[in-house]
Amino acid sequence: MTPIDLVVTVCAVLSPTTCEETHLVFSSNASLKQCAMAAQPYIAQWVGEHPKWTAVKWRCEYPGTNRKASRDAVWSAG
């Protein structure tokens, strides 16, 4: 399996303008676009473990390469 970084932009629930990126490791033989489409359960788990944060968008990229999924594979939660 190939490691893929799932890059999630999260914002504080009590201060929606306070946002940051967090990186989750997504090991899969999937493409970057498939990673972005399959990411929701992993993001939901992270948000469940970090209730002060909410996910607003996410993307997938290969670690250390800054090679991102295509623009249409950047997903927004709302």
Side-chain angles (χ1 to χ4, degrees):
M1 293 197 155
T2 304
I4 297 175
D5 273 350
L6 174 55
V7 183
V8 184
T9 302
V10 294
C11 297
V13 171
L14 297 178
S15 179
T17 58
T18 303
C19 301
E20 61 185 52
E21 285 188 345
T22 187
H23 292 249
L24 309 175
V25 177
F26 186 86
S27 293
S28 174
N29 288 327
S31 69
L32 294 178
K33 190 171 185 176
Q34 289 169 325
C35 163
M37 293 185 337
Q40 289 181 338
Y42 301 98
I43 296 167
Q45 179 182 349
W46 188 93
V47 169
E49 295 168 356
H50 302 85
K52 294 182 180 182
W53 296 93
T54 186
V56 294
K57 64 182 178 178
W58 59 92
R59 68 180 187 275
C60 295
E61 61 188 36
Y62 295 114
T65 63
N66 292 327
R67 187 171 154 205
K68 298 177 184 175
S70 63
R71 183 167 175 69
D72 60 327
V74 174
W75 296 85
S76 176

